[in-house]
Amino acid sequence: MVKNPERRAVLVDAAVEVLAAEGARGLTFRAVDTAAGVPTGTSSNYFANRDDLLHQIDAWLHERLAPDPEAVAELLKRPRDRALVTAFMHDLIGRVKGDRTGFLAMMEMRLEATRRPALRTSLMTSLRGDLDFGIAFNAESELPGGAEEITLLYLGMLGLILEHLTMPGMLDGAIPGVSVPDGIVERLVERIVPST
């Protein structure tokens, strides 16, 4: 395998684009090469096989979709209350809007993991690590709520993100007078996270 980290990064980013646009069935080395604007056959020099490429996408998406450490530090200057939890969830929605492709690719990874046991194991480890990190971050930051509330918030936000990305407009008017997605974010936090 070729050891050019910059080229590999370009190819993985191109693979994310292909995965989001074409789904897992469209994720071929040829499609990645085309999306990256490199000669045909380049991807096969960087990834042993399709499973290797999917694992590289998994690792990269967790970095790409993570919150900006500076934004987190800025938010943590605020009082540790439900409003701060809401602000963190608005930050997440902002990242979803800013990197729709990345979040759609992550949804495709979840679907592909249902068909590939090795990917399922890897992705489950990554996703559970994210959830465990969120629970620990919440506790260490002295934010309201515990493991149960953060898990329920995780599930609520995941559902909101899925609907917002795949069926935009479907939730409009479902809760009269509540905007989508921002108003839904506020309702989720209000219903799940204790006020103190």
Side-chain angles (χ1 to χ4, degrees):
M1 295 290 103
V2 177
K3 304 272 190 213
N4 179 337
E6 294 82 19
R7 174 66 61 93
R8 182 180 299 273
V10 166
L11 291 169
V12 173
D13 262 333
V16 167
E17 297 292 324
V18 171
L19 187 59
E22 303 296 328
R25 289 186 184 266
L27 184 67
T28 64
F29 284 156
R30 182 179 296 270
V32 171
D33 290 341
T34 300
V38 297
T40 300
T42 301
S43 292
S44 62
N45 292 323
Y46 283 85
F47 308 103
N49 51 41
R50 200 161 175 268
D51 286 334
D52 181 29
L53 177 59
L54 286 165
H55 288 286
Q56 298 272 339
I57 293 169
D58 176 24
W60 172 231
L61 281 174
H62 283 86
E63 279 184 53
R64 177 174 163 168
L65 303 178
D68 176 3
E70 290 179 18
V72 171
E74 192 62 35
L75 285 168
L76 286 174
K77 293 177 182 177
R78 299 171 59 172
R80 305 302 205 264
D81 56 13
R82 185 167 38 187
L84 180 55
V85 176
T86 303
F88 274 114
M89 296 306 102
H90 281 299
D91 177 72
L92 172 58
I93 290 297
R95 287 184 282 124
V96 169
K97 290 176 182 177
D99 191 359
R100 184 176 188 275
T101 298
F103 282 90
L104 282 172
M106 181 56 78
M107 298 294 176
E108 289 289 344
M109 289 289 287
R110 286 171 177 270
L111 291 172
E112 187 63 10
T114 65
R115 296 178 282 273
R116 293 176 176 269
L119 180 60
R120 181 181 316 121
T121 300
S122 169
L123 189 60
M124 190 179 300
T125 299
S126 299
L127 293 172
R128 181 55 192 256
D130 290 347
L131 177 58
D132 290 342
F133 175 83
I135 292 167
F137 175 83
N138 195 75
E140 290 164 11
S141 300
E142 300 178 350
L143 292 163
E148 180 177 339
E149 289 81 9
I150 297 309
T151 301
L152 292 172
L153 191 56
Y154 168 85
L155 293 170
M157 291 297 294
L158 184 60
L160 175 59
I161 290 167
L162 175 65
E163 293 301 328
H164 185 66
L165 290 178
T166 62
M167 297 289 148
M170 195 280 291
L171 292 174
D172 292 349
I175 303 173
V178 176
S179 65
V180 179
D182 296 323
I184 301 285
V185 166
E186 292 167 16
R187 290 292 175 94
L188 280 170
V189 175
E190 178 185 300
R191 298 290 199 273
I192 295 171
V193 179
S195 60
T196 57

